[in-house]
Amino acid sequence: MTRAEQKEQSRERIIDAAVEEFADQGFRAASTRAIAARAGVTQGLVTYHFASKDELWRAAADRIFGRLDEGTPPGAVGSDEAAIRAHVAFSARHPEVFHFMVDAGRHDDDRLRWLIDTHLERRFRAVAGSGGSTARAAHLYYAVVGAASLMFAVAPECRALTGRDPGSDAAIRAHADLLVAAFASSS
Amino acid sequence: MTRAEQKEQSRERIIDAAVEEFADQGFRAASTRAIAARAGVTQGLVTYHFASKDELWRAAADRIFGRLDEGTPPGAVGSDEAAIRAHVAFSARHPEVFHFMVDAGRHDDDRLRWLIDTHLERRFRAVAGSGGSTARAAHLYYAVVGAASLMFAVAPECRALTGRDPGSDAAIRAHADLLVAAFASSS
DNA sequence: GTCTATAATTAGATAGAC
DNA sequence: GTCTATCTAATTATAGAC
C-alpha cells in the first residue's frame, strides 16, 4: 500500500470512529482521544487530519448523510408504504443517525445552522415539495421519523424493559407493519 | 425564612437546575458547575447536598418522573384518543423528559438499570397490562412516544428548517390531530 | 504521515474557613 | 449551610521528534 493510500485509510477510519463516538456520546461529551482509540491511531493524528473537533464533526455529518441518502432517498419520508418500510429498516440498522440528529437539533448554534444549510434543507425540501402544505409536511416528517427511530435508538432500554430485541428481523417487520397501518395513505 | 427552609429551597433549586442541564447536555457533558450556576449557588453547595453527580442525576430523574406521572398517568400511553392528546401536549411543554430518557436509554449501564427498576418498569407494566401482547405494546409505546416527542425535542431545528414553531398552540393541536388519526383505535 | 510530549482549560470531588 | 481553595484527572490543541 502506498503512503497516500495509508493516509487515506487512516482518515477514513477516523471519520467512521467519529460517527460512532459523536452518536454515542453527543458532540460535547465525545472526546478526540476516544475517537482515536476507536480508529486505532493516536490523538495527535486526529488533529493532523482535522484541524478542530468541529471540523471532524462536519466530516462525520457528511458521512452520516451519505448513508442516509443511500438508505432513504430524499423525498422518501412520507405516507408511501415502501418509503415507510425503508425508513424503519434504515433506522434499525443505523440508530447513530437519529442520535446524531437529535444531538444537533436541540441547540440553536453554529453546528445546527451548518447542518441545515448543508444537508437538512435539501432533504426537507424534497419532502415538503411533494404537494400539501409545508406545515403538514413538517408534522408528518417528525411523526414518522420519531415513530420509526425511537425504539432502535434506545435499544438497550427496550431490551431490558420489554424483553424484546429491536434488532431482530421479526421486531423490525412488526414495527414497519405498525407504522404502515398508522401512516400509509390508503389510496 | 428559617434555616431549614433555606436549605430545602437551595436543594429544590439545584434539582430543577439539574433536570435542565442533564436534559440539555446529557449526563456526561453536564457539569455540576453549570448546574450550580443555573441554581444560583456554588459548586461546593451542590456536592454538599448530593454526594456525587450520579446521586444528583437520580434526584433529577425522580423529579422528571413526578412531572411525567402528573401529566400522563401510567397506562395512558396507548391507542386512546385522550391519552394521545395528553401525551402530545405534555411532550410539547416538557421536551426535557424525552432528552433525559433518550440519553439514559442508549447505554446499558448502572443508570439505565436504576431507571428501569425505579420508574420505567412500573410505567411500562401499566401499558402492557391493558390486554394484547407485550410485544405489540412495546412497538406501540415507542411509536407513539417517538412520534409525539421528536418535533418538540428538536424545536430549534424544526423552527430553522420548516419555519414552524412547535411551541405554538396551533402546532401542538395539529400534531395531536395527526397522531390521533394515525394511532387512535376507531372503536 | 504518525507519534510523543506538553500547555492551557475544565471536570468532579475533597477540605476547611466562616 | 454555604462558600473558597485545591487536588487529581481528563479535555483540546499545539510543538516538535522521527
Side-chain angles (χ1 to χ4, degrees):
Chain A
M1 193 182 296
T2 70
R3 194 171 167 90
E5 284 169 341
Q6 270 289 8
K7 175 182 179 181
E8 183 59 18
Q9 190 187 52
S10 288
R11 196 187 145 89
E12 292 296 304
R13 291 166 59 87
I14 290 168
I15 295 175
D16 281 334
V19 167
E20 293 175 24
E21 178 76 1
F22 283 130
D24 270 10
Q25 304 288 344
F27 178 81
R28 195 163 164 204
S31 87
T32 57
R33 275 184 166 79
I35 291 169
R38 282 193 202 241
V41 299
T42 59
Q43 189 239 353
L45 193 63
V46 172
T47 65
Y48 166 78
H49 281 286
F50 303 93
S52 69
K53 193 179 174 181
D54 259 275
E55 187 180 317
L56 176 55
W57 180 86
R58 288 193 292 271
D62 290 342
R63 173 133 312 174
I64 282 205
F65 273 85
R67 291 179 192 167
L68 188 57
D69 288 341
E70 203 178 335
T72 69
V77 175
S79 45
D80 172 66
E81 171 170 353
I84 291 173
R85 290 194 183 279
H87 199 86
V88 171
F90 181 83
S91 299
R93 303 300 176 206
H94 295 283
E96 76 277 8
V97 175
F98 182 81
H99 285 135
F100 195 92
M101 308 272 270
V102 171
D103 182 55
R106 57 182 162 186
H107 297 121
D108 190 353
D109 54 19
D110 288 348
R111 281 191 299 281
L112 176 57
R113 296 298 171 157
W114 178 90
L115 198 68
I116 289 174
D117 292 345
T118 312
H119 294 291
L120 279 174
E121 190 171 355
R122 167 181 58 84
R123 282 187 65 92
F124 181 69
R125 250 204 306 265
V127 177
S130 59
S133 74
T134 299
R136 177 162 177 83
H139 286 287
L140 190 61
Y141 171 82
Y142 286 110
V144 171
V145 171
S149 306
L150 180 59
M151 181 181 228
F152 310 107
V154 296
E157 176 200 292
C158 180
R159 273 188 213 101
L161 179 63
T162 74
R164 189 155 175 82
D165 177 16
S168 71
D169 288 342
I172 297 172
R173 201 176 318 116
H175 207 66
D177 289 345
L178 177 65
L179 262 67
V180 166
F183 291 112
S185 54
S186 49
S187 59
Chain B
M1 193 181 297
T2 71
R3 195 171 165 90
E5 284 170 341
Q6 270 289 6
K7 176 181 179 180
E8 184 58 18
Q9 190 186 52
S10 287
R11 197 187 144 89
E12 290 297 303
R13 291 166 60 86
I14 290 169
I15 295 175
D16 281 334
V19 168
E20 294 175 23
E21 178 76 1
F22 284 131
D24 269 11
Q25 304 288 343
F27 177 81
R28 194 166 163 203
S31 87
T32 56
R33 278 182 165 81
I35 291 168
R38 281 195 204 240
V41 298
T42 59
Q43 191 239 352
L45 192 63
V46 172
T47 64
Y48 167 76
H49 280 286
F50 303 93
S52 69
K53 193 180 175 181
D54 259 276
E55 187 180 316
L56 176 54
W57 179 87
R58 289 193 291 272
D62 290 341
R63 172 133 313 174
I64 283 203
F65 274 85
R67 291 178 191 167
L68 188 57
D69 288 340
E70 204 179 334
T72 69
V77 175
S79 45
D80 171 65
E81 171 170 352
I84 291 173
R85 291 195 183 278
H87 199 86
V88 171
F90 181 83
S91 299
R93 302 300 176 204
H94 295 283
E96 77 276 9
V97 175
F98 182 81
H99 284 135
F100 195 91
M101 309 270 271
V102 171
D103 183 55
R106 57 182 163 187
H107 297 120
D108 191 352
D109 54 19
D110 289 347
R111 281 190 300 280
L112 175 58
R113 295 296 170 160
W114 177 90
L115 197 67
I116 289 173
D117 293 344
T118 313
H119 294 292
L120 279 174
E121 190 171 355
R122 166 180 58 85
R123 282 188 64 92
F124 180 69
R125 250 204 306 265
V127 177
S130 58
S133 73
T134 300
R136 174 159 179 85
H139 286 287
L140 190 61
Y141 171 81
Y142 285 110
V144 171
V145 171
S149 306
L150 181 58
M151 182 182 228
F152 310 107
V154 295
E157 177 199 294
C158 180
R159 274 187 213 101
L161 179 63
T162 73
R164 189 155 176 81
D165 176 17
S168 71
D169 288 342
I172 297 172
R173 200 176 318 118
H175 207 65
D177 288 344
L178 177 65
L179 261 67
V180 166
F183 292 111
S185 55
S186 47
S187 61

